[in-house]
Amino acid sequence: MFDKVLIANRGEIALRVHRACKEMGIATVAVHSTADAEAMHVRLADESVCIGEAPAASSYLNTASLLSAATITGADAIHPGYGLLSENAEFAQMVVDHGFVFIGPSPDHIRMMGDKITAKEAVRSLGVPVVPGSDGAVRDEARARGVAEEIGYPVLIKASSGGGGRGMKVAASADEIGAAFSTARAEAKSNFGNDEVYIEKYLARPRHIEIQVLADGFGNVVHLGDRDCSLQRRHQKLLEEAPSPALNAAERAAIGQTVTSAIGKLGYLGAGTLEFLYEDGEFYFIEMNTRVQVEHPVTEAITGIDIVREQIRIAAGLPLGYAQEDISLSGHAIECRINAENPETFVPAPGRIGLYHPPGGLGVRVDSAIYAGYTVPPYYDSLIAKLIVHGRTRNEALMRLRRALGEYVIEGVETTIPLHVRLTEDPNFVNGVYDIHWLERFVGLK
Ligand code: MV4
């Protein structure tokens, strides 16, 4: 096992990785920008290194500084968290080339899944259902038109380097395909420096359901069930739950088996998530994430498995401690992302936290790196806390969520807590009746 891990991240996820390390007897190295000198992830770590100025490009994305910090502190491995460099294949390769272990999959698997066309082709060839479409890049308008006629309108043109909703264009009919195709290509070129696009049938009202997997270096692969991440606004998730209220046990078991079989054949290593659109009882793969995700705690709540601990064990060359039959899904969990933002306009609201009192009690978990007197800096993501509740049933989790939100005191900055309170009172949310477009209508109403 590693003696020392450098955590190449900040905020609540840096703290989350630190906690897993401490429980495994591993020393931690925090890195921070000049704006984060007083941050909790720095205070709790065994050692810390300042790696640059406040903008992430000068610090948390500065690969030379990160590798120097790992060298001078004698770290064995680097955990990238989520966001930042977590899905950067070149960084993963640099980490390995400098003699450190990258706590994540191989650079080749990161690269494969980073390109949405190769990702889709890889899992499709291994039996995972995908959205009907072009099966590869579409290089000219005539071909785009041909594919669209074949699969039927509406269609969606996506950038192969895209993901997270950037660089997508819908064409509702043949009249729109020419403009959609050229706009999608131009936006892909300017956003990602790559104008490669592909085409899919546009699904009008799907849910967004993802499957968490863990794979070790001995051919063992397990899935940890599903999460429903449909409640998003402009591709930013607000609330996630596990299991999805839309699936029955048979559907869950079937998709889980399909996914574990494919991941095993790929030789993938570590934690990963396969994202699906789910509509009319069918799953359609769209993308794979090769990192630990923001919403991983809902899966931890219903499985009892520490996903970050497993990432570290797998990277250290240890086998998974359990097989699929050892894993059972127990109860229901919901996570609210609490952002320092105006709850109606979503304008970021950095500033100094005054009084701070997080909720507690049975079935309540708060993952956060803020504290009374802490100043939320304006340079980074506005996520300041995650409230995760677990109950024996979805209703118990919902009652507990309302109770916990009512206890949460964060003074000094605006937060999205009032929006979460309103959400937990809405009959559609309470009944689990929502799709990927529902939340935008809900917040638009007011
Ligand atoms: C789609 C889709 C409908 N049909 N693909 C948006 C993010 C990107 N990762 C994939 N996305 C979508 N792909 C087909 N064929 C609708 C979306 C989509 C979406 C997906 C998941 C969660 C929220 C979303 C919001 C708008 C659009």
Side-chain angles (χ1 to χ4, degrees):
M1 184 43 67
F2 309 124
D3 293 319
K4 195 185 276 193
V5 166
L6 181 139
I7 303 164
N9 216 301
R10 66 179 301 282
E12 69 85 19
I13 194 63
L15 211 44
R16 172 69 189 84
V17 175
H18 167 81
R19 286 170 172 156
C21 289
K22 293 321 286 178
E23 292 179 11
M24 299 173 82
I26 301 170
T28 60
V29 180
V31 294
H32 67 91
S33 68
T34 51
D36 276 342
E38 304 295 310
M40 192 53 90
H41 81 276
V42 176
R43 294 187 176 201
L44 289 183
D46 295 302
E47 289 172 78
S48 64
V49 181
C50 181
I51 53 165
E53 299 295 316
S58 309
S59 49
Y60 299 105
L61 295 172
N62 184 338
T63 56
S65 280
L66 287 163
L67 292 167
S68 301
T71 302
I72 62 175
T73 56
D76 306 306
I78 298 181
H79 195 301
Y82 54 64
L84 298 176
L85 295 166
S86 62
E87 293 179 294
N88 185 314
E90 285 66 46
F91 177 64
Q93 187 64 60
M94 288 167 77
V95 168
V96 173
D97 291 345
H98 284 75
F100 305 108
V101 175
F102 181 77
I103 303 177
S106 71
D108 287 344
H109 283 123
I110 298 174
R111 200 172 293 111
M112 172 192 284
M113 298 308 171
D115 181 309
K116 307 308 161 192
I117 293 178
T118 55
K120 194 176 169 185
E121 178 50 29
V123 304
R124 189 198 62 76
S125 72
L126 297 172
V128 176
V130 301
V131 190
S134 55
D135 294 335
V138 175
R139 301 185 196 284
D140 58 75
E141 191 186 315
R143 172 85 184 119
R145 211 169 275 284
V147 170
E149 292 297 333
E150 245 171 71
I151 60 179
Y153 288 95
V155 299
L156 190 56
I157 305 170
K158 296 183 169 182
S160 62
S161 307
R166 299 209 302 156
M168 304 197 314
K169 282 282 165 288
V170 182
S173 69
D175 300 341
E176 296 179 9
I177 192 80
F181 181 72
S182 51
T183 316
R185 289 243 302 202
E187 286 185 12
K189 183 78 192 169
S190 71
N191 278 313
F192 314 112
N194 173 3
D195 68 358
E196 194 169 74
V197 298
Y198 62 110
I199 299 185
E200 288 185 344
K201 176 84 186 164
Y202 177 69
L203 304 178
R205 300 224 161 281
R207 297 179 78 112
H208 181 201
I209 299 178
E210 57 190 30
I211 312 291
Q212 174 76 56
V213 297
L214 290 173
D216 68 16
F218 301 86
N220 305 304
V221 187
V222 296
H223 73 85
L224 305 184
D226 53 287
R227 299 185 282 259
D228 200 314
C229 304
S230 302
L231 295 174
Q232 316 204 6
R233 178 189 167 273
R234 298 194 182 165
H235 305 294
Q236 295 295 317
K237 296 169 186 168
L238 266 82
L239 179 150
E240 306 93 349
E241 55 181 318
S244 170
L247 298 185
N248 62 43
E251 289 173 289
R252 178 165 292 119
I255 193 68
Q257 208 170 348
T258 299
V259 162
T260 48
S261 150
I263 291 302
K265 289 177 195 148
L266 267 182
Y268 184 85
L269 202 72
T273 302
L274 286 89
E275 294 188 356
F276 292 88
L277 298 178
Y278 175 82
E279 191 174 75
D280 300 330
E282 302 288 339
F283 280 96
Y284 305 92
F285 171 88
I286 48 170
E287 291 171 23
M288 180 169 178
N289 302 316
T290 56
R291 60 170 191 277
V292 68
Q293 291 193 260
V294 176
E295 59 270 29
H296 77 278
V298 291
T299 299
E300 295 187 324
I302 65 164
T303 61
I305 292 172
D306 181 334
I307 292 172
V308 177
R309 180 188 180 95
E310 294 307 317
Q311 286 188 293
I312 296 168
R313 284 177 50 89
I314 293 165
L318 296 172
L320 284 173
Y322 37 78
Q324 193 69 54
E325 56 266 29
D326 303 324
I327 298 167
S328 58
L329 306 185
S330 169
H332 197 94
I334 305 174
E335 172 180 278
C336 289
R337 295 191 186 192
I338 298 171
N339 291 346
E341 286 173 0
N342 179 288
E344 285 175 9
T345 63
F346 301 95
V347 172
R352 187 174 185 275
I353 311 254
L355 197 59
Y356 181 65
H357 184 266
L362 181 65
V364 175
R365 166 177 172 182
V366 174
D367 276 20
S368 175
I370 67 170
Y371 54 88
Y374 173 71
T375 299
V376 180
Y379 306 102
Y380 315 108
D381 193 279
S382 61
L383 181 79
I384 53 169
K386 305 187 307 200
L387 169 61
I388 304 104
V389 296
H390 184 217
R392 289 170 299 175
T393 61
R394 187 169 185 272
N395 190 55
E396 191 174 280
L398 262 172
M399 296 301 286
R400 185 159 284 156
L401 179 57
R402 289 201 191 102
R403 186 274 286 173
L405 286 167
E407 277 179 39
Y408 215 145
V409 178
I410 306 178
E411 289 184 352
V413 298
E414 291 182 296
T415 77
T416 46
I417 290 175
L419 171 61
H420 287 297
V421 171
R422 279 208 305 133
L423 195 52
T424 62
E425 289 162 354
D426 184 275
N428 283 297
F429 175 65
V430 168
N431 293 318
V433 183
Y434 56 80
D435 60 40
I436 60 170
H437 303 296
W438 182 84
L439 185 74
E440 292 188 352
R441 294 196 301 275
F442 177 80
V443 298
L445 278 176
K446 278 204 268 292

